[in-house]
Amino acid sequence: MGKRYFCDYCDRSFQDNLHNRKKHLNGVQHLRAKRAWYDLFRDAAAILQEEQSKKPCRKFLQTGQCDFGSDCRFSHMTEQDLEKLSAQVQVRKTALVQVLELLMKSQGSSRKPHAPVPAALEVRRKKGKKPKTIPRLLLL
């Protein structure tokens, strides 16, 4: 019978050979299942930014349902949902700033956590591209 490949995203198995695996991994069902899995772990700020850039889905707002579901290119969030998400992001930002301030105080540093990164810490990647800065958390 040969070896079998089990896909954790799709919860299915099939005979393991190059053709079958390649066909499955590039298939629509697998790509949707994989995207749904990783969407579970997305940050609230990333979700908010993406949803704010989308236009609202008319069909979803009128009927409460959309034929496209999670694959719809329009937003299925109401104004109340966006406000809740925005408040959640704001709470997280203030909590992070407070933690950074506590860390800075405990280390005796005089720099503020939201101060801009000094120009001396910029690193050039390749000619003609924007400079890459070192994240502030690494400076602590």
Side-chain angles (χ1 to χ4, degrees):
M1 184 157 131
K3 292 194 288 184
R4 299 204 48 89
Y5 178 80
F6 181 77
C7 178
D8 290 321
Y9 299 115
C10 302
D11 198 27
R12 61 182 293 207
S13 65
F14 50 87
Q15 187 177 4
D16 190 20
N17 61 39
L18 182 63
H19 174 73
N20 287 348
R21 190 183 289 203
K22 195 173 192 180
K23 187 175 177 182
H24 173 76
L25 293 177
N26 292 326
V28 174
Q29 180 184 3
H30 174 76
L31 295 175
R32 284 184 184 163
K34 184 178 170 185
R35 189 170 120 229
W37 172 256
Y38 281 105
D39 283 348
L40 293 173
F41 304 104
R42 288 182 49 207
D43 187 26
I47 295 171
L48 180 66
Q49 183 181 11
E50 182 180 320
E51 290 296 324
Q52 285 177 334
S53 67
K54 294 179 181 178
K55 293 180 181 178
C57 179
R58 289 185 194 165
K59 178 125 180 162
F60 186 79
L61 291 177
Q62 291 172 354
T63 63
Q65 293 180 343
C66 177
D67 297 336
F68 295 102
S70 62
D71 293 329
C72 185
R73 66 179 180 172
F74 299 105
S75 177
H76 289 173
M77 287 196 156
T78 62
E79 288 295 323
Q80 294 84 9
D81 293 339
L82 288 173
E83 288 173 7
K84 287 178 187 176
L85 197 57
S86 178
Q88 184 181 358
V89 168
Q90 196 62 31
V91 166
R92 181 165 166 78
K93 280 183 181 178
T94 56
L96 283 174
V97 168
Q98 290 173 350
V99 167
L100 285 173
E101 286 174 352
L102 287 173
L103 282 171
M104 298 298 267
K105 285 180 184 177
S106 68
Q107 292 180 354
S109 177
S110 62
R111 283 192 61 219
K112 294 181 181 179
H114 53 282
V117 177
L121 295 176
E122 290 182 353
V123 180
R124 289 245 178 231
R125 286 186 280 178
K126 287 187 176 179
K127 193 173 186 179
K129 294 201 175 186
K130 289 185 175 181
K132 181 180 177 185
T133 57
I134 300 171
R136 285 187 215 122
L137 292 176
L138 297 177
L139 297 175
L140 298 177

